[in-house]
């Protein structure tokens, strides 16, 4: 063996691999509750201080992304007058929480605003992203890169999403905008099964600076379906640089009246400080919460119990509304028409479907109950003239469409990153129609003060929206 050739071999390998390894999350120099990508730091001149409007975009590949896009289109076509001037309902959106396929739409709109209505269809919804990812993984250069244990398929996917959609943007770009909606991209901590959100409040726990983190990488983690894709890995800097445990964790765990749900959240947060969790492996957010609703639920429960948690206020706006875009579908595996058990594939598919369906149902219903209790609490506050307080839970669950043809169509759309253009268009129109016809949504529009007629185009410029509505005072964080 010619040992003199080893440097040459190493250089050739470096040439093909580019010395690649997964991007490390930057260490935080010091925790500042007033800095970083936090809900309370993002405001908008067009948002009414009397309304908190949240969107929750579920998982489901391009199917979920197209439905979420259709909802944004309908919100842009819905004019309201909530006391802050005439503007679109879309301009009232404060926060978008997303998982998996829904994260593509959420992150793109949060970063680029109304540009989504001009190029998101061609760049993503009607683009064969899945085949592009496969071709990229099979290219000779990337085969060398993937041979490295420090570079994975999800790292490659993040690079592709960055070229396709995000153009090198990091969360610092969202901070600079200082404009809502705030986006909460959610993944799953595979070691604990707990939800992990890409916000500075969460990154504080691992001693990391979210502002330097690429948006494409957060989306890749949120959509990292196990087996097909690999976990996105974060370094827990709280191990090497121990820091004080946040007071809200101690407050919840020391409170005997705190619910088991809140104690689970606090116990998981505490695990980052035990000195044993050196790395965090993140996979598809749909495994821990396929609706993107659990973060809002946790904070609503914390507000109800007066517990301390990040972004939980002591005062609430007059109206809280949430639109849940549930892209989960129901497949008929044929159990009811066979006497004998079906194969392993049908069994695993049915088990996964049952888990997601029931967990999502319970999450929505629990959220309704908590919102109802908050409404009663604010109404029965003992004041001589308590302010009006209303909640709106708008759940769009397309697997239960009224039309048999629409329902069969929806449940036949696969979970993938490639769909025919005609399928994408039909999904968009279904989402817009279901939102416009939803009784709870109509009540919200009516209560805000609907205006006659609708705008012809969803792509109204931000400048025009700001011109139509006077600047509103920024308000404290809510859910």
């Amino acid at each position: 063996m010619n040992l003199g050739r080893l440097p040459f071999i190493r250089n050739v390998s470096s040439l093909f691999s580019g010395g690649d390894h997964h991007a490390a999350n930057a260490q935080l120099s010091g925790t500042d509750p007033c800095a970083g990508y936090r809900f309370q730091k993002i405001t908008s001149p067009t948002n009414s201080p009397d309304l908190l409007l949240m969107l929750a975009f579920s998982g489901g590949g391009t199917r979920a992304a197209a439905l979420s896009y259709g909802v944004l289109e309908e919100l842009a076509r819905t004019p309201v007058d909530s006391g802050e001037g005439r503007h679109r309902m879309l301009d009232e959106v404060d926060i978008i929480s997303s998982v998996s396929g829904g994260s593509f739409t959420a992150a793109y709109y949060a970063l680029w605003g109304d540009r989504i209505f001009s190029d998101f269809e061609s760049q993503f919804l009607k683009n064969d992203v899945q085949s592009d990812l496969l071709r990229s993984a099979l290219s000779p250069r990337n085969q060398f890169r993937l041979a490295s244990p420090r570079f994975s398929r999800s790292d490659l996917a993040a690079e592709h999403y960055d070229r396709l959609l995000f153009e090198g943007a990091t969360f610092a770009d969202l901070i600079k905008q200082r404009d809502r909606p705030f986006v909460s991209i959610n993944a799953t901590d595979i070691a604990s099964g707990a939800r992990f959100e890409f916000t500075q409040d969460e990154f504080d726990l691992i001693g990391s600076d979210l502002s330097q983190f690429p948006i494409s990488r957060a989306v890749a983690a949120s959509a990292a379906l196990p087996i097909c894709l690999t976990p996105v890995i974060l370094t827990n800097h709280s191990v090497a640089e121990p820091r004080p445990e946040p007071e809200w964790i101690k407050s919840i765990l020391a409170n005997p009246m705190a619910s088991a749900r809140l104690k689970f959240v606090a116990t998981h947060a505490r695990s980052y400080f035990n000195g044993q969790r050196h790395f965090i492996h993140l996979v598809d957010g749909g495994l821990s919460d396929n609706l993107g609703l659990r973060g809002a639920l946790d904070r609503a429960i914390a507000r109800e119990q007066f517990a301390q948690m990040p972004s939980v206020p002591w005062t609430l706006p007059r109206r809280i509304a949430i639109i849940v875009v549930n892209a989960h579908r129901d497949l008929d595996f044929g159990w009811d028409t066979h006497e004998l058990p079906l194969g392993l594939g049908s069994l695993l598919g049915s088990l996964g479907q049952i888990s997601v369906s029931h967990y999502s149902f319970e999450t929505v219903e629990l959220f309704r109950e908590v919102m109802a209790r908050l409404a009663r609490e604010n109404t029965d506050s003992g004041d001589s003239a308590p302010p009006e307080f209303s909640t709106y839970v708008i759940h769009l669950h397309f697997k239960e469409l009224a039309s048999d043809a629409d329902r069969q169509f929806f449940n036949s759309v696969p979970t993938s990153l490639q769909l025919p253009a005609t399928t994408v268009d039909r999904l968009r129109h279904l989402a817009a129609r279901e939102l416009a016809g939803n009784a709870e949504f109509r009540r919200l529009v009516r209560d805000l003060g609907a205006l006659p007629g609708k705008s012809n185009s969803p792509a109204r410029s931000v400048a025009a929206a700001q011109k139509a509505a006077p600047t509103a005072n920024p308000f404290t964080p809510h859910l």
Side-chain angles (χ1 to χ4, degrees), residues 261 293-302 362-363 366-367 370:
R261 285 186 175 87
L293 188 56
R294 296 298 298 192
L297 176 60
D298 291 340
R299 289 179 173 92
I301 293 174
E362 293 296 337
T363 298
L366 180 58
F367 190 83
V370 173

Side-chain angles (χ1 to χ4, degrees), residues 58-74 77 105 121 124-126 325-329 396-399 401 405-436:
S58 82
T62 300
R63 183 181 67 250
L67 291 172
S68 301
Y69 180 73
V71 164
L72 293 181
E73 288 184 301
E74 184 60 27
R77 287 190 291 260
T105 309
E121 285 183 63
F124 183 78
L125 294 179
K126 297 178 180 178
V325 184
N326 186 352
H328 180 66
R329 60 180 183 150
L396 305 179
H397 40 115
F398 300 92
K399 66 178 183 177
L401 292 165
D406 286 340
R407 188 169 59 255
Q408 291 172 9
F409 158 74
F410 175 76
N411 286 317
S412 71
V413 179
T415 301
S416 71
L417 292 180
Q418 59 180 80
L419 293 176
T422 54
T423 299
V424 168
D425 288 335
R426 188 169 178 182
L427 289 169
R428 290 171 45 217
H429 297 149
L430 276 177
R433 187 192 70 195
E434 289 301 302
L435 178 61

Side-chain angles (χ1 to χ4, degrees), residues 294-351:
R294 296 298 298 192
L297 176 60
D298 291 340
R299 289 179 173 92
I301 293 174
R303 170 60 181 81
E304 182 185 29
Q305 299 181 9
F306 301 100
Q308 298 177 17
M309 272 182 66
S311 300
V312 176
W314 291 102
T315 59
L316 295 173
R318 292 172 54 211
R319 298 185 176 98
I320 298 177
I322 183 165
I323 300 173
V324 181
V325 184
N326 186 352
H328 180 66
R329 60 180 183 150
D330 273 348
L331 297 178
D332 183 2
F333 290 94
W335 293 97
D336 298 333
T337 57
H338 290 75
E339 178 183 2
L340 299 178
L342 300 179
L344 180 61
S346 295
L347 177 61
L348 294 177
S350 296
L351 291 175

Side-chain angles (χ1 to χ4, degrees), residues 53 80 105 142 165 189 211 213 245 280 324 362:
L53 177 57
V80 295
T105 309
N142 287 332
L165 300 171
D189 183 336
S211 67
F213 200 81
E245 187 178 85
I280 312 302
V324 181
E362 293 296 337

Side-chain angles (χ1 to χ4, degrees), residues 181-208:
F182 179 86
V183 65
S184 174
I185 299 170
N186 296 274
T188 299
D189 183 336
I190 194 63
S192 66
R195 182 181 56 85
F196 185 98
E197 63 182 25
F198 285 86
T199 65
Q200 188 56 55
D201 289 321
E202 188 90 16
F203 265 51
D204 282 348
L205 301 177
I206 62 173
S208 187

Side-chain angles (χ1 to χ4, degrees), residues 356-367:
V356 172
S357 293
H358 284 258
Y359 187 68
S360 296
F361 173 79
E362 293 296 337
T363 298
V364 172
E365 292 309 305
L366 180 58
F367 190 83

Side-chain angles (χ1 to χ4, degrees), residues 168-402:
T170 66
F171 282 85
D173 293 290
L174 295 177
I175 297 172
K176 292 174 185 176
Q177 290 180 3
R178 301 185 62 85
D179 194 17
R180 290 183 182 171
F182 179 86
V183 65
S184 174
I185 299 170
N186 296 274
T188 299
D189 183 336
I190 194 63
S192 66
R195 182 181 56 85
F196 185 98
E197 63 182 25
F198 285 86
T199 65
Q200 188 56 55
D201 289 321
E202 188 90 16
F203 265 51
D204 282 348
L205 301 177
I206 62 173
S208 187
D209 183 2
L210 179 65
S211 67
Q212 301 181 47
F213 200 81
I215 296 174
S216 60
R217 193 162 173 78
V219 172
S222 183
L225 185 66
I227 301 178
C228 296
L229 293 167
T230 50
V232 169
I233 304 170
L234 303 182
T235 299
N236 182 9
H237 295 289
S238 293
V239 174
E241 296 281 342
R243 60 188 65 236
E245 187 178 85
E247 287 299 321
W248 68 267
I249 298 177
K250 300 176 183 178
S251 174
I252 291 176
L253 294 179
N255 184 355
M257 302 302 293
S259 69
R261 285 186 175 87
L262 284 186
K263 288 190 175 182
F264 172 80
V265 173
T267 300
H268 172 69
R270 172 171 281 181
S271 73
Y272 293 124
F273 297 87
N274 64 15
Q276 299 176 2
R277 305 199 63 197
H278 296 266
F279 300 97
I280 312 302
H281 294 253
L282 302 177
V283 294
D284 196 297
L287 298 179
S288 57
D289 171 24
N290 196 51
L291 296 180
L293 188 56
R294 296 298 298 192
L297 176 60
D298 291 340
R299 289 179 173 92
I301 293 174
R303 170 60 181 81
E304 182 185 29
Q305 299 181 9
F306 301 100
Q308 298 177 17
M309 272 182 66
S311 300
V312 176
W314 291 102
T315 59
L316 295 173
R318 292 172 54 211
R319 298 185 176 98
I320 298 177
I322 183 165
I323 300 173
V324 181
V325 184
N326 186 352
H328 180 66
R329 60 180 183 150
D330 273 348
L331 297 178
D332 183 2
F333 290 94
W335 293 97
D336 298 333
T337 57
H338 290 75
E339 178 183 2
L340 299 178
L342 300 179
L344 180 61
S346 295
L347 177 61
L348 294 177
S350 296
L351 291 175
Q353 180 168 284
I354 290 170
S355 299
V356 172
S357 293
H358 284 258
Y359 187 68
S360 296
F361 173 79
E362 293 296 337
T363 298
V364 172
E365 292 309 305
L366 180 58
F367 190 83
R368 290 186 196 275
E369 294 173 9
V370 173
M371 288 293 98
R373 290 198 296 267
L374 284 174
R376 289 195 296 271
E377 169 195 312
N378 281 266
T379 302
D380 302 332
S381 60
D383 297 338
S384 56
E388 173 195 357
F389 184 81
S390 301
T391 61
Y392 312 78
V393 180
I394 301 155
H395 184 198
L396 305 179
H397 40 115
F398 300 92
K399 66 178 183 177
E400 300 177 9
L401 292 165

